[in-house]
Amino acid sequence: MSQTDGSRDSVLGRALAVLRAVGGSATPLSRAEIARLTGLPKATANRFIAQLVAEGLLQPVEQGVRLGLGLFDLGNLAEQQGLGLSDVATPYLAHLYEITHETVQLAILDGLGVVYIQKISGSASTKLNTRVGGRMPLTCTASGKVLLAYCKPDFRERVLRESGFARRTPRSITDRAALDRELSEVRRRKYAVDREEFQTGTASVAVPVLARSGTAAAVTVSAPSDRLSVPTVVPALHATAAAISREIARVQPHLDR
């Protein structure tokens, strides 16, 4: 477990580390896997898992544990209190899907990763190894590269220092100089491209959702590599991101802080 982030040493920080490890996996995790991913001693990890199960935040299954329904209850309470960036963005994401008929996602920074908070796809859309609430790497996803490009330099340094580079495919960026060139290009053209860096056979394009205080999120369109036309989807992505930014400022200014 990293000692550079004091919050990870607190009781709450360790509980969150367990929840994030489970939430970031597409399949249930064993207790040993959770201990490895969080860096917690096995006995400590088991104690936190037992407490989170008792509270309904984790659910035991045959293969290990997965997120429990108690988290969905908390999520619903947050939405009811007006914290729904996803709700604000969904009508515009749905319109983007109708234009492209490809997988559309909305992502935010969370900790040292990117988390998808909305995903719209159809039967003909490419099958992505992502899900709402899932945590993915920043350096090999289009949404992650957009968020990295527009974040503060000290945060970017922390991501690379503590998380490093995720090699999901042979095309994933694993070199600091190459990443710096890529992020500079993202800022220049105002969009990021992932061509089979996260998933073989799939390409994605992402643009930032800008707010007064910085970058609120990233909007992404993903499709099979041989079907995605960057010049075609970029204008639609920028229009969608601009509409979401205006809506955030109009109906939920507290999201822009």
Side-chain angles (χ1 to χ4, degrees):
M1 182 172 60
S2 171
Q3 300 300 312
T4 59
D5 184 356
S7 65
R8 289 290 300 275
D9 296 325
S10 68
V11 172
L12 177 59
R14 285 177 283 179
L16 288 174
V18 171
L19 289 173
R20 285 170 172 159
V22 176
S25 173
T27 58
L29 292 180
S30 69
R31 285 162 169 73
E33 288 172 322
I34 293 171
R36 177 179 59 82
L37 289 170
T38 60
L40 294 171
K42 289 184 179 180
T44 302
N46 285 336
R47 185 171 70 253
F48 277 98
I49 291 166
Q51 292 170 341
L52 292 167
V53 167
E55 294 296 332
L57 302 181
L58 289 179
Q59 178 183 348
V61 293
E62 185 176 349
Q63 302 90 341
V65 294
R66 65 185 182 190
L67 295 182
L69 293 178
L71 282 174
F72 293 98
D73 292 338
L74 291 174
N76 287 334
L77 288 172
E79 293 290 338
Q80 292 167 15
Q81 293 176 14
L83 302 180
L85 173 59
S86 176
D87 282 345
V88 169
T90 293
Y92 303 102
L93 299 176
H95 182 62
L96 179 62
Y97 171 76
E98 289 301 322
I99 293 173
T100 63
H101 293 289
E102 303 292 1
T103 300
V104 172
Q105 297 182 103
L106 182 70
I108 59 171
L109 271 176
D110 187 64
L112 301 181
V114 56
V115 171
Y116 297 100
I117 62 173
Q118 183 58 282
K119 180 178 181 179
I120 301 175
S121 60
S123 58
S125 303
T126 187
K127 304 306 179 186
L128 281 176
N129 296 325
T130 61
R131 60 181 175 80
V132 173
R135 180 185 302 275
M136 299 298 165
L138 287 164
T139 58
C140 64
T141 56
S143 55
K145 287 192 285 186
V146 159
L147 294 169
L148 268 183
Y150 284 86
C151 73
K152 294 180 179 179
D154 58 344
F155 176 79
R156 189 157 54 244
E157 292 298 324
R158 182 185 166 204
V159 169
L160 297 178
R161 182 175 66 249
E162 297 187 25
S163 296
F165 294 92
R167 187 175 179 83
R168 296 295 293 260
T169 77
R171 296 193 176 189
S172 300
I173 295 176
T174 57
D175 176 75
R176 176 59 188 271
L179 180 66
D180 287 342
R181 289 193 298 270
E182 177 79 2
L183 297 183
S184 178
E185 186 68 6
V186 170
R187 289 187 291 270
R188 183 190 67 80
R189 66 193 181 193
K190 297 182 173 59
Y191 67 85
V193 180
D194 149 26
R195 290 198 178 277
E196 302 191 26
E197 295 172 47
F198 173 72
Q199 181 174 313
T200 300
T202 301
S204 301
V205 184
V207 303
V209 177
L210 300 175
R212 286 189 298 270
S213 60
T215 306
V219 180
T220 307
V221 169
S222 301
S225 302
D226 58 0
R227 194 166 76 197
L228 184 69
S229 169
V230 174
T232 299
V233 300
V234 163
L237 276 164
H238 278 144
T240 300
I244 295 171
S245 294
R246 289 193 298 270
E247 193 69 5
I248 289 172
R250 187 180 72 84
V251 296
Q252 294 197 1
H254 64 277
L255 288 174
D256 178 17
R257 60 176 179 225

